[in-house]
């Protein structure tokens, strides 16, 4: 152990040249993506939206240990607020988006109130109920378009409109990047440490001076804010919203993203959201999906136009995560990294 | 205001739907008591078993009782297989990983029933009609409704008798109350948990078969009943089986009252709201004690 | 001033259902003392700590530190009154490193919030300075307790004895004036126990922290305590110096179980 420790290195974002290099590569890929995969632009944008949701949900579930099976409710609040403010009140997109995030955050406080006293299955049902209630209520509020929803065109910035797919992609990618870095920094510092302490032992955490109610509420708020922002972006990306987008299975899908990627890891949120979203969008053409398609070809199974199969695959992955690799995709990646570092020994 | 016969009718209707909620809640409660696993896959396990009955009925043209028995047998095997192959093998058996595991199974079975049996709505018929009615003491009730109430009541009595008066039931209760002491006395808690998954799966399957004729059979058949059954279990307190049954009836009554007086659209929302409110006041449900971890 | 002892417990009672765990228990601790609580299993020792620390609310009675009432406060509010504790069955944050566990003890002294944390992007940002400053303090504690080798390991991978020390480190990191140690030596080897005695003395002598100790090992208690209280069935049997308590026939009876 070296005697002179540079403590900043422990928490520094992108410590060392290797990390800086790979992050730069990643950013270049994000910027170049619309030109590298023009046909997949919608998919990549949707992955960006879902990454934001997964980042927030992972802070709540992975770091703080609080289950939420109602996150689609927060996404819905963000989406509807953004759209209504833009369409009916003529408020520019950035303000409407932030308002959507903040309203979702306030609902996060409302959900946190009962959640403070609940654990395990009781918290699961309370959040599930919340998500379903939001969906039903939104479908019945007059002026929100009922079950047909509302359509929306582009991002009105006040002085200009962003309507092109590429433009919308860059907005989503930029926000996702900023929110990803913010999530990483929150997790690595005092607040994130308090969250993890609550997850591992709430009694010891409070004995060390952490206000449990305050920090659990904060975790719900951050998580709901992420979901709300993502909701606004999703609405613009799709060009419409309706209550059926926020069915409770969608909440379960968000939950699956976080678990598949790796609970408690920012990189896990990114990997999980990308993997699950990719699978879902390609659900009726699984034979063309890498790895899985190859396996299917190997067993000569043709799953073209077989809906339901993605559910089976996602479900199997969840079960495997619990039985084999509790850290999800991120854990697998860590193993590969350690394997290469020690290679060839 | 309502007159007397309207009130009685409302109560009977509530008992009818409440029976389904209670059975699903019981199914979840049986597993939860034995192993603290909140089984989110309960609904899909039941739906899949009902599909098996449907296939035996329509494709093989077998009589109803054969389909019923085959379906329950399948449900039992599905339950014990899931416990043996997955639940028991969890790396790190926290409540969170158990929730992940059962949600995983839920996804697998949901996808599989759509894949194998198709996502279209199917008519599932029991020998009791939903449209023919009988009148008992001024209350009109369908054959199916009557069958549902009677069958659930019989099933609840059976579960009670099984837990209180059989050797296996006693072993289950002993293991739930103190697994270490039970193990010292030669009761394997693994076997008890395994059995509870099997029994629970059967109870769920019966609930699904009683419910399927009311709407139609499709992969999402049990979404709503699962949620309500779960809510009933939470309302009564997972640890108390009579509490769960009571929770099921109360929940149905609240829903029906609200549907009658205000709006049908919001009846689920109100039921959920009430549950969240009850949990806020009593975090472990109405009929069970709140447990505080000892340090 | 002298009428006002550093820490007082005044007639606290606590019952669970029909079981009365504490019955009007009173005592006081002077500043800089090592005060030990002994008694057979189930005597109410851990319940006493839980009542002081706010995990349980006592039914009646009061707890004061430096004249300030802390009865019925939440654990985090009690911690803000500079009272820290360890637990009988180690309560570490098992998925965090030793460093992070002890750093958590610095929580009350750090100032980073959600917004400043999000902006931890350069070396002189507020949160980065907050982090480095407190990490330095934690390293002092790590050096003090000889935990250098475990610094970056997950605590769940450490041997039992080291875990106990890491938990002590976390309690120290909060900079308490009163430290509650719940059976710190249970499960330690003889060698580890010797180290522990040395550290407990150091904590009192060098850091000036007052210590209340629950311990089963009479030999260790006799070695380091200034005063001892023996309790049984939630009531005070006897209180006094080591000599007075260990020679008391009631204590001997309670411990040997003779009647």
């Amino acid at each position: 152990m070296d005697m002179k420790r540079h403590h900043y290195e422990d928490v520094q974002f992108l410590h060392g040249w290797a990390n800086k290099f790979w992050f730069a590569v990643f950013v270049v890929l994000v910027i170049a993506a619309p030109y590298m995969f023009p046909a997949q632009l919608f998919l990549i944008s949707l992955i960006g939206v879902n990454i934001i949701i997964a980042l927030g949900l992972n802070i709540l579930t992975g770091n703080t240990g609080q289950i939420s099976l109602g996150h689609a409710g927060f996404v819905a609040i963000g989406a509807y607020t953004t759209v209504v403010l833009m369409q009916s009140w003529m408020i520019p997109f950035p303000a409407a988006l932030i308002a959507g995030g903040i309203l979702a955050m306030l609902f996060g406080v409302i959900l946190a109130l009962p959640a403070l006293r609940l654990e395990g299955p009781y918290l699961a049902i309370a959040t599930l109920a919340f998500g379903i209630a939001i969906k039903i209520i939104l479908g019945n509020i007059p002026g929100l378009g009922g079950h047909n929803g509302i359509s929306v065109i582009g991002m009105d910035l006040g002085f200009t409109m962003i309507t092109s797919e590429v433009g919308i992609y860059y907005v989503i990618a930029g926000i996702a990047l900023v929110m990803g870095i913010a999530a990483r920094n929150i997790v690595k510092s005092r607040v994130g440490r308090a969250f993890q302490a609550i997850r591992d032992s709430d009694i010891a955490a409070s004995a060390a001076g952490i206000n449990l109610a305050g920090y659990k509420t904060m975790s719900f708020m951050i998580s709901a804010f992420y979901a709300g922002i993502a909701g606004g972006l999703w609405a613009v990306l799709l060009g419409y919203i309706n209550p059926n987008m926020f069915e409770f299975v969608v909440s379960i899908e968000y939950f699956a993203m976080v678990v598949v990627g790796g609970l408690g890891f920012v990189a896990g949120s990114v990997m999980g959201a990308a993997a699950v979203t990719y699978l879902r969008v390609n659900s009726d053409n699984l034979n063309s999906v890498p790895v899985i398609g190859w396996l299917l070809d190997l067993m000569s199974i043709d799953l073209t136009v077989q809906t339901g199969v993605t559910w089976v695959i996602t479900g199997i992955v969840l079960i495997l995560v619990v039985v084999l690799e509790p850290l999800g995709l991120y854990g697998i990646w860590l193993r590969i990294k350690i394997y290469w570092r020690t290679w060839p020994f | 205001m309502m007159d007397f016969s309207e009130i009685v009718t409302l109560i009977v209707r509530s008992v009818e739907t409440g029976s389904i909620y209670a059975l699903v809640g019981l199914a979840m409660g049986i597993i939860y008591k034995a192993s603290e696993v909140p089984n989110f896959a309960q609904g899909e396990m039941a739906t899949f078993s009902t599909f098996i009955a449907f296939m035996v009925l329509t494709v093989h043209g077998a009589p109803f009782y054969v389909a019923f028995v085959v379906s329950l047998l399948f449900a039992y095997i599905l339950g014990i297989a899931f416990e043996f192959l997955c639940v028991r093998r969890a790396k790190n058996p926290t409540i969170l990983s158990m929730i992940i595991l059962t949600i995983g199974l839920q996804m697998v079975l949901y996808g599989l029933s759509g894949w194998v049996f198709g996502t279209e709505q199917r008519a599932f018929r029991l020998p009791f009609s939903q449209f023919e009615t009988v009148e008992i003491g001024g209350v009109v009730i369908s054959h199916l409704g009557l069958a549902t109430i009677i069958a659930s009541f019989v099933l609840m009595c059976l579960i009670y008798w099984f837990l209180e008066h059989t050797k296996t039931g006693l072993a289950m209760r002993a293991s739930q109350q103190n697994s270490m002491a039970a193990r010292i006395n030669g009761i394997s808690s693994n076997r008890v948990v395994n059995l509870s998954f099997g029994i629970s799966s059967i109870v769920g399957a019966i609930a699904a078969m009683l419910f399927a004729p009311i709407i139609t059979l499709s992969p999402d058949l049990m979404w709503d009943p699962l949620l309500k059954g779960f809510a009933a279990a939470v309302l009564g307190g997972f640890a108390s089986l009579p509490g769960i049954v009571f929770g099921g009836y109360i929940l149905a009554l609240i829903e029906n009252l609200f549907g009658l007086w205000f709006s049908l659209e919001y009846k689920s929302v109100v039921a959920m709201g009430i549950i969240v409110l009850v949990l806020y006041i009593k975090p472990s449900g109405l009929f069970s004690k709140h447990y505080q971890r000892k340090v | 001033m002298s009428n006002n002892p550093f820490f007082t417990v005044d007639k606290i009672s606590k019952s669970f259902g029909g079981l009365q765990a504490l019955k009007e228990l009173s005592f006081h601790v002077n500043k800089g003392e090592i005060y030990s609580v002994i008694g057979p299993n189930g005597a109410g020792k851990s319940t006493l700590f839980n009542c002081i620390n706010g995990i349980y609310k006592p039914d009646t009675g009061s707890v004061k530190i430096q004249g300030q009432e802390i009865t019925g406060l939440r654990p985090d509010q009690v911690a803000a009154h500079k009272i820290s504790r360890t637990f009988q069955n180690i309560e570490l944050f098992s998925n965090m490193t030793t460093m992070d566990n002890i750093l958590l003890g610095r929580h009350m002294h750090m100032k980073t919030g959600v917004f400043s944390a999000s902006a931890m992007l350069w070396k002189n940002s507020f949160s980065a300075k907050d982090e480095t400053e407190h990490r330095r303090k934690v390293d002092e504690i790590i050096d003090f307790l000889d935990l250098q080798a475990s610094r970056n390991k997950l605590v769940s991978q450490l041997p039992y004895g080291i875990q106990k020390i890491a938990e002590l480190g976390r309690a120290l990191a909060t900079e308490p004036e009163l430290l509650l140690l719940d059976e710190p030596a249970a499960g330690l080897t003889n060698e580890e126990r010797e180290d522990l005695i040395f550290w407990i003395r150091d904590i009192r002598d060098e850091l000036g922290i007052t210590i209340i100790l629950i311990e089963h090992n009479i030999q260790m208690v006799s070695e380091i305590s200034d005063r001892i209280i023996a309790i049984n069935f939630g009531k005070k049997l006897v209180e006094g110096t080591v000599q007075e308590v260990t020679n008391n026939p009631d204590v001997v009876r309670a411990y040997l179980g003779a009647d």
Side-chain angles (χ1 to χ4, degrees):
Chain A
M1 187 126 300
D2 58 332
M3 292 307 290
K4 197 169 169 241
R5 296 175 189 132
H6 299 280
H7 292 93
Y8 178 58
E9 290 172 0
D10 289 351
V11 289
Q12 189 181 4
F13 178 57
L14 303 179
H15 167 62
W17 287 108
N19 282 332
K20 284 193 179 71
F21 173 75
W22 287 116
F23 185 74
V25 170
F26 179 72
V27 171
V28 167
L29 274 178
V30 168
I31 294 171
Y35 307 100
M36 291 163 67
F37 316 100
Q40 304 282 339
L41 196 53
F42 175 80
L43 170 67
I44 306 171
S45 305
L46 187 62
I47 288 178
V49 170
N50 285 343
I51 283 176
I52 299 177
I53 298 169
L55 284 168
L57 183 57
N58 211 347
I59 288 179
L60 183 68
T61 302
N63 295 101
T64 321
Q66 309 291 304
I67 296 158
S68 167
L69 297 179
H71 245 56
F74 295 124
V75 179
I77 291 166
Y80 271 88
T81 311
T82 310
V83 170
V84 169
L85 287 182
M86 276 201 307
Q87 305 287 73
S88 313
W89 298 49
M90 300 303 156
I91 289 173
F93 175 74
L97 185 69
I98 291 172
I102 289 174
L103 194 65
M105 188 169 85
L106 294 179
F107 273 86
V109 179
I110 294 174
L111 185 61
L113 283 178
L116 296 176
R117 304 188 54 188
L118 304 179
E119 293 181 330
Y122 298 96
L123 181 57
I125 187 73
T127 53
L128 199 62
F130 166 80
I132 290 168
I134 292 289
K135 187 218 146 191
I136 296 176
I137 292 170
L138 283 175
N140 285 293
I141 293 178
L144 293 186
H147 295 281
N148 299 322
I150 320 172
S151 61
V152 49
I153 305 156
M155 302 172 174
D156 181 1
L157 299 185
F159 53 93
T160 178
M161 285 276 284
I162 300 178
T163 49
S164 72
E165 277 184 36
V166 177
I168 291 173
Y169 164 78
Y170 279 125
V171 172
I172 291 173
I175 293 176
L177 204 59
V178 169
M179 291 183 93
I181 294 171
R184 183 265 173 208
N185 283 340
I186 290 173
V187 167
K188 284 280 172 186
S189 63
R190 173 174 177 264
V191 177
R193 223 165 13 243
F195 290 161
Q196 284 159 32
I198 292 172
R199 173 193 68 192
D200 286 359
S201 167
D202 52 352
I203 287 174
S206 68
I210 289 167
N211 180 342
L212 293 182
Y215 274 88
K216 280 187 190 173
T217 309
M218 196 192 289
S219 184
F220 266 98
M221 286 167 73
I222 295 174
S223 190
F225 179 77
Y226 272 73
I229 294 287
L233 294 171
W234 193 21
V236 177
L237 174 66
L238 278 182
Y240 63 86
I241 44 170
N242 65 50
N244 292 331
M245 289 158 62
F246 311 105
E247 196 65 74
F248 93 97
V249 286
V250 178
S251 295
I252 293 195
E253 215 169 88
Y254 296 146
F255 183 74
M257 286 175 195
V258 177
V259 174
V260 168
L263 283 167
F265 298 99
V266 171
S269 308
V270 176
M271 294 177 186
V276 172
T277 312
Y278 185 85
L279 210 58
R280 176 69 63 249
V281 171
N282 288 293
S283 63
D284 50 5
N285 194 14
L286 284 177
N287 283 58
S288 68
V289 171
V291 186
I292 293 168
W294 179 77
L295 278 176
L296 291 173
D297 287 343
L298 202 69
M299 297 182 284
S300 46
I301 303 175
D302 182 18
L303 289 180
T304 322
V305 204
Q306 280 291 359
T307 49
V309 183
T310 31
W311 285 107
V312 179
I313 294 172
T314 319
I316 289 175
V317 173
L318 287 198
I319 293 174
L320 289 180
V321 162
V322 173
V323 177
L324 298 177
E325 179 61 76
L327 298 185
L329 289 176
Y330 182 71
I332 295 172
W333 185 70
L334 276 186
R335 266 167 213 268
I336 294 171
K337 221 168 78 167
I338 290 167
Y339 177 80
W340 282 111
R341 196 180 296 154
T342 53
W343 193 81
F345 301 104
Chain B
M1 278 313 289
M2 305 157 72
D3 63 40
F4 181 71
S5 80
E6 275 180 321
I7 296 175
V8 177
T9 307
L10 184 82
I11 291 177
V12 172
R13 292 275 172 285
S14 305
V15 171
E16 207 181 310
T17 32
S19 298
I20 307 278
Y21 299 169
L23 285 186
V24 177
L26 268 181
M28 296 190 78
I30 290 169
I31 291 184
Y32 190 76
K33 272 194 83 160
S35 59
E36 295 216 330
V37 175
N39 187 8
F40 280 87
Q42 199 80 57
E44 271 67 18
M45 288 163 77
T47 306
F48 208 87
S49 308
T50 307
F51 265 115
I52 297 287
F54 178 79
M55 286 331 245
V56 174
L57 275 175
T58 56
V59 177
H60 304 283
F64 176 74
Y65 65 91
V66 176
F68 187 71
V69 171
V70 170
S71 162
L72 295 195
L73 203 65
F74 174 83
Y76 182 77
I77 294 170
L78 180 63
I80 58 171
F82 177 56
E83 195 281 333
F84 184 76
L85 295 176
C86 304
V87 174
R88 196 176 291 186
R89 290 170 213 284
K91 269 256 165 90
N92 176 10
T94 59
I95 288 196
L96 180 61
S97 34
M98 289 302 142
I99 291 180
I100 296 170
L101 203 56
T102 58
I103 285 182
L105 180 69
Q106 178 192 19
M107 287 177 158
V108 171
L109 290 179
Y110 173 69
L112 214 55
S113 49
W115 182 6
V116 178
F117 306 114
T119 48
E120 62 267 34
Q121 314 273 319
R122 321 256 192 152
F124 180 79
R125 285 196 191 83
L126 291 184
F128 322 100
S129 161
Q130 191 185 350
F131 305 107
E132 287 170 46
T133 54
V134 286
E135 194 182 320
I136 306 166
V139 180
V140 179
I141 184 167
S142 69
H143 289 183
L144 179 66
L146 196 62
T148 303
I149 294 174
I150 294 173
S152 338
F153 183 73
V154 170
L155 190 57
M156 287 168 198
C157 292
L158 270 175
I159 294 170
Y160 178 79
W161 170 80
F162 176 77
L163 287 178
E164 295 290 324
H165 296 284
T166 64
K167 224 176 144 186
T168 324
L170 191 70
M172 283 180 80
R173 284 195 305 143
S175 169
Q176 283 157 14
Q177 277 162 18
N178 189 335
S179 90
M180 185 60 85
R183 208 169 302 155
I184 291 166
N185 285 303
I187 299 166
S188 144
S189 79
N190 266 350
R191 256 191 50 216
V192 166
V193 170
N194 194 253
L195 189 64
S196 76
F197 270 82
I199 293 174
S200 148
S201 181
I202 288 180
V203 175
I206 293 176
M209 280 190 268
L210 289 172
F211 183 66
I214 300 176
I215 57 171
T216 49
L217 179 58
S218 67
D220 56 7
L221 168 72
M222 291 301 276
W223 279 8
D224 194 55
L226 174 85
L227 201 68
K228 303 292 169 56
F230 197 155
V234 163
L235 192 62
F238 254 119
S240 147
L241 295 188
I244 292 176
V245 172
F246 185 73
Y249 292 136
I250 288 289
L251 186 66
L253 190 63
I254 293 170
E255 275 192 346
N256 283 338
L257 273 179
F258 192 83
L260 196 70
W261 286 337
F262 302 100
S263 103
L264 279 172
E265 287 264 26
Y266 283 110
K267 73 174 196 182
S268 294
V269 177
V270 169
M272 292 297 150
I274 285 171
I275 283 149
V276 172
L277 212 65
V278 167
L279 286 179
Y280 188 58
I281 298 157
K282 284 209 75 183
S284 296
L286 290 175
F287 301 99
S288 76
K289 276 204 209 108
H290 190 52
Y291 161 82
Q292 190 173 22
R293 194 159 63 94
K294 216 169 159 248
V295 288
Chain C
M1 172 69 199
S2 57
N3 308 337
N4 219 357
F6 174 68
F7 178 76
T8 55
V9 167
D10 190 25
K11 289 189 182 161
I12 61 167
S13 300
K14 176 73 189 172
S15 53
F16 300 99
L19 181 82
Q20 186 141 36
L22 291 176
K23 278 182 214 158
E24 305 217 317
L25 186 69
S26 302
F27 62 88
H28 73 271
V29 181
N30 299 316
K31 184 146 182 69
E33 250 186 332
I34 296 177
Y35 186 85
S36 292
V37 182
I38 61 169
N41 280 328
K45 300 178 306 269
S46 285
T47 307
L48 170 67
F49 270 20
N50 288 340
C51 281
I52 295 174
N53 150 253
I55 290 173
Y56 299 151
K57 282 189 173 48
D59 301 332
T60 56
S62 98
V63 184
K64 285 182 186 158
I65 183 162
Q66 294 177 317
Q68 281 177 301
E69 186 73 50
I70 56 163
T71 328
L73 294 184
R74 291 193 312 263
D76 56 294
Q77 294 169 319
V78 172
H81 281 88
K82 295 185 176 294
I83 298 179
S84 188
R85 70 169 291 182
T86 64
F87 296 85
Q88 189 179 348
N89 308 307
I90 306 175
E91 290 284 336
L92 282 169
F93 310 119
S94 49
N95 296 309
M96 289 159 67
T97 61
T98 308
M99 177 64 170
D100 282 341
N101 265 276
I102 302 178
L103 196 53
L104 192 101
R106 302 294 307 162
H107 182 86
M108 288 185 293
H109 302 280
M110 296 175 75
K111 296 193 174 57
T112 306
V114 176
F115 293 106
S116 51
S118 317
M120 187 167 65
L121 294 174
W122 63 95
K123 201 169 178 164
N124 285 323
S125 58
F126 177 82
S127 45
K129 283 206 290 209
D130 202 32
E131 279 287 324
T132 46
E133 178 194 334
H134 289 278
R135 278 172 188 267
R136 202 167 295 131
K137 290 234 164 82
V138 170
D139 268 327
E140 285 168 18
I141 293 169
I142 285 178
D143 289 341
F144 175 68
L145 295 175
D146 260 336
L147 288 167
Q148 292 91 340
S150 324
R151 183 181 187 267
N152 296 323
K153 285 188 187 144
L154 287 185
V155 286
S156 53
Q157 291 165 355
L158 300 176
Y160 186 83
I162 309 278
Q163 290 192 12
K164 285 228 134 180
I165 304 303
E167 203 192 14
L168 176 64
R170 185 180 66 202
L172 281 181
T174 64
E175 293 181 19
E177 288 184 2
L178 176 65
L179 182 59
L180 312 174
L181 301 177
D182 195 347
E183 299 197 17
L188 297 191
T189 62
N190 281 336
E191 200 178 325
E192 285 169 335
R193 190 181 318 127
E194 290 306 314
D195 283 346
L196 183 71
I197 291 174
F198 172 77
W199 279 321
I200 291 177
R201 284 216 179 98
D202 258 12
I203 289 167
R204 191 263 306 267
D205 297 341
E206 285 181 22
L207 306 174
I209 297 171
T210 311
I211 292 168
I212 303 180
L213 180 74
I214 291 179
E215 191 45 68
H216 267 304
N217 187 309
I218 285 288
Q219 192 197 334
M220 172 174 162
V221 167
S222 317
E223 207 173 318
I224 59 173
S225 311
D226 296 312
R227 286 191 304 137
I228 300 178
I229 184 172
I231 61 175
N232 200 9
F233 300 114
K235 281 195 296 198
K236 185 196 293 190
L237 275 182
V238 60
E239 186 188 9
T241 62
V242 176
Q243 287 290 318
E244 283 162 11
V245 173
T246 48
N247 292 335
N248 184 291
D250 284 340
V251 173
V252 175
R253 200 177 302 138
Y255 260 80
L256 298 179
D259 50 7

